[in-house]
Amino acid sequence: MNGSLPDHGCGLRPSNTDDLLAEFQSPHIGTTDWFSARQEEAFWDLNADSDKIDMGGVALFGDFVLARKNLDGLPITIYMQVPIKSFMGNYDTTRQTALIASGVVIAVTLFLFLQIRIDRKTKRRNERKRLELDKRLQFALDSTGQGLWDWDFAKQQGYYSDNLYRLMEIHHGEVCLTFDSFKDRIHADDRKQFDAAIAEHISGNKPAFEIEVRMHVGSEDQWNWFHHSGSVIEWDRNREPKRMIGLLKNIHHQKLKRIDLEFKARHDPLTGLLNRTAFEDYARRVHALSLRTNRPYCMVMLDIDHFKKVNDTFGHDCGDIVLKRICDITSRALRFEEEKLFFRLGGEEFVILLPQNDCAAGAAVAERIRKNVCAEPILADGHHIDITISAGVAAHRDNELPDITLRRADWALYQAKNTGRNRVYRAPGTTNVSFPDSEAMRNTV
């Protein structure tokens, strides 16, 4: 070819889409006159510096396309001659694919954009709902005076409501509560009961836990009663608690009132001793324990000698002082466990319940009390009053209810008074004892 190139009528064309399409659509006559290898090299050498053809250029010559591609990083150049029909077919296919891909990308982009907008709207709507629920919850907590706590055992983190901090008199910014530090504020005497209540719930015995305990409030040494309730709301695969929610309410004033009412219901207002109602309850408990352990118990009945004469001579105010002093002397004569079971049944009558003691042991306790009362004159409103007491002792027998044992102790007390007073009398173990009417006995003795 002597370095010259054949004239194909089309001349050199840059790699421009519009030119390629126009050229493809124009008619061509004759057979394809392909370039030889030397013609290709000459063409590219001739047009090496052309702005229309880059290092990986494409040129159109009538019925075929001439192309060159340099491989990055390799000293190799690929030359191609492709029939224009094949080239344009592939070009159209690639163009359609690109258009479809562009359409898909646009559709996916629009879908993602719409989804993001929907998600944002949903998130804002859910956030508004959450805030609304939080307001309602906070209103409910404030109106009922309760605090909420929510603890995640797996993450070792949780939530304690602002109202709970206020109930505990803790500044939220200064103290950050955890489940352990929250439990540490429970009184040491109540902590085991708190753990036991939660353990009973976790074991499945109760659907929720509920307990009243004392808790440390504020920074001073101050303890208030609180009501706790809650339940586990999430469990792990091993059926261990994963998340627990609870409510806390300050019931200090109500608890104190209830304790006061319970105390008054079971205690004598004058002497502070347990009353007849409490005695009947304790007697049933001691009786049940005696049946389980096959251990005896006994009762000691005490009565102030000539107490009616004290009231008539010195007045009822002096009589009340005498009653209190007798209680004080008797309590000091009793051991700690015996003192807890010292009751005033009414008037000048008292009873001591002695678990796991027989009649001889009860008589020894009664005699110690009698001697202490005799040895300590009582000063009431400037009057020195010598007081003595009489005592009756009865031990529980087989198949005998506590009220029968009490009646026998009362009978023994009658015998002590009837035989001279200021003495201790034991009830016999036989059942052949005729019990007089107690009221009639008090009126005659």
Side-chain angles (χ1 to χ4, degrees):
M1 299 276 306
N2 297 323
S4 62
L5 296 175
D7 185 7
H8 290 270
C10 296
L12 179 64
R13 296 288 187 272
S15 53
N16 184 282
T17 303
D18 295 336
D19 292 341
L20 289 174
L21 287 173
E23 191 66 30
F24 173 67
Q25 293 171 356
S26 64
H28 297 280
I29 302 173
T31 59
T32 303
D33 188 6
W34 303 99
F35 277 10
S36 66
R38 294 182 61 186
Q39 287 175 318
E40 282 188 3
E41 292 177 1
F43 172 79
W44 293 115
D45 290 342
L46 182 63
N47 295 280
D49 299 328
S50 173
D51 337 349
K52 299 179 181 179
I53 299 193
D54 59 14
M55 294 302 291
V58 176
L60 182 63
F61 291 92
D63 293 338
F64 70 94
V65 175
L66 184 65
R68 182 183 69 176
K69 177 66 177 177
N70 294 335
L71 299 181
D72 296 337
L74 295 175
I76 299 174
T77 303
I78 298 177
Y79 299 93
M80 291 186 297
Q81 298 180 50
V82 182
I84 193 167
K85 289 185 178 180
S86 174
F87 178 83
M88 294 309 297
N90 291 336
Y91 174 80
D92 287 340
T93 301
T94 303
R95 187 180 180 203
Q96 291 176 3
T97 303
L99 290 174
I100 293 172
S102 299
V104 171
V105 170
I106 293 172
V108 171
T109 302
L110 288 174
F111 173 78
L112 292 176
F113 176 74
L114 291 174
Q115 189 65 39
I116 290 173
R117 284 182 61 86
I118 293 172
D119 289 345
R120 286 181 177 176
K121 287 183 178 180
T122 303
K123 186 176 180 180
R124 287 195 293 268
R125 184 168 60 251
N126 291 339
E127 183 68 14
R128 287 195 297 270
K129 288 182 178 179
R130 187 189 67 80
L131 291 175
E132 189 66 24
L133 288 174
D134 284 349
K135 290 180 181 178
R136 293 175 182 174
L137 175 61
Q138 191 61 45
F139 173 77
L141 293 175
D142 290 340
S143 60
T144 57
Q146 297 187 92
L148 173 71
W149 59 268
D150 181 347
W151 188 255
D152 190 319
F153 292 99
K155 298 179 181 178
Q156 284 298 300
Q157 62 185 22
Y159 165 79
Y160 292 86
S161 70
D162 293 338
N163 207 32
L164 183 141
Y165 277 90
R166 287 195 294 272
L167 289 172
M168 303 294 298
E169 299 181 14
I170 303 173
H171 295 292
H172 199 167
E174 297 178 1
V175 178
C176 184
L177 288 173
T178 65
F179 189 71
D180 290 335
S181 65
F182 181 65
K183 282 179 53 179
D184 287 342
R185 301 187 75 88
I186 298 176
H187 197 282
D189 293 342
D190 300 336
R191 204 169 298 158
K192 288 184 179 180
Q193 299 176 18
F194 182 83
D195 291 337
I198 293 181
E200 190 174 15
H201 162 59
I202 292 175
S203 65
N205 293 332
K206 289 188 177 180
F209 71 88
E210 190 170 358
I211 191 171
E212 296 177 355
V213 297
R214 289 162 292 178
M215 296 192 72
H216 183 217
V217 296
S219 57
E220 303 297 330
D221 189 17
Q222 181 181 351
W223 298 88
N224 282 358
W225 282 96
F226 286 87
H227 177 270
H228 289 263
S229 61
S231 63
V232 177
I233 62 170
E234 287 186 28
W235 305 81
D236 61 16
R237 295 180 179 179
N238 300 322
R239 285 298 297 171
E240 292 294 330
K242 183 179 179 182
R243 184 181 169 200
M244 183 183 292
I245 290 182
L247 289 173
L248 176 75
K249 183 176 182 180
N250 190 313
I251 58 167
H252 188 65
H253 296 297
Q254 301 93 311
K255 182 70 174 181
L256 293 182
K257 288 181 180 178
R258 190 162 68 246
I259 292 174
D260 184 58
L261 290 175
E262 291 175 354
F263 182 88
K264 290 179 178 178
R266 295 173 60 86
H267 288 77
D268 174 56
L270 177 63
T271 62
L273 295 180
L274 292 164
N275 59 17
R276 180 178 288 272
T277 301
F279 167 76
E280 293 173 352
D281 179 45
Y282 276 100
R284 286 192 295 267
R285 295 171 184 267
V286 171
H287 180 74
L289 177 65
S290 176
L291 295 179
R292 289 196 304 269
T293 61
N294 198 27
R295 298 287 300 274
Y297 69 90
C298 71
M299 299 180 187
V300 177
M301 286 281 294
L302 302 175
D303 188 278
I304 301 175
D305 296 330
H306 302 295
F307 183 69
K308 185 177 182 300
K309 184 178 179 180
V310 173
N311 281 331
D312 294 340
T313 304
F314 303 103
H316 289 280
D317 290 340
C318 284
D320 291 343
I321 295 174
V322 169
L323 285 173
K324 293 178 183 179
R325 292 292 293 125
I326 291 297
C327 292
D328 180 58
I329 296 170
T330 302
S331 296
R332 285 190 278 110
L334 293 171
R335 294 191 296 268
F336 178 73
E337 64 275 12
E338 297 167 346
E339 182 182 359
K340 289 183 177 180
L341 300 178
F342 182 26
F343 308 83
R344 182 189 181 193
L345 299 186
E348 68 274 20
E349 281 195 329
F350 303 88
V351 63
I352 302 170
L353 190 58
L354 298 173
Q356 301 183 8
N357 281 273
D358 56 17
C359 196
V365 171
E367 182 62 20
R368 183 168 70 244
I369 295 170
R370 187 194 66 80
K371 288 181 178 180
N372 287 7
V373 170
C374 288
E376 192 169 338
I378 297 175
L379 179 64
D381 284 347
H383 304 286
H384 286 274
I385 306 173
D386 293 324
I387 296 294
T388 61
I389 63 169
S390 299
V393 183
H396 170 257
R397 299 180 304 195
D398 293 339
N399 302 320
E400 183 179 72
L401 294 177
D403 59 333
I404 302 300
T405 306
L406 180 63
R407 286 182 62 192
R408 292 196 300 109
D410 198 18
W411 177 89
L413 173 62
Y414 168 77
Q415 298 300 321
K417 284 183 170 293
N418 198 38
T419 55
R421 294 184 176 84
N422 192 21
R423 64 189 60 206
V424 176
Y425 195 94
R426 300 188 198 181
T430 177
T431 58
N432 298 322
V433 177
S434 176
F435 300 132
D437 180 78
S438 298
E439 189 65 29
M441 177 187 68
R442 297 188 188 96
N443 292 332
T444 58
V445 177

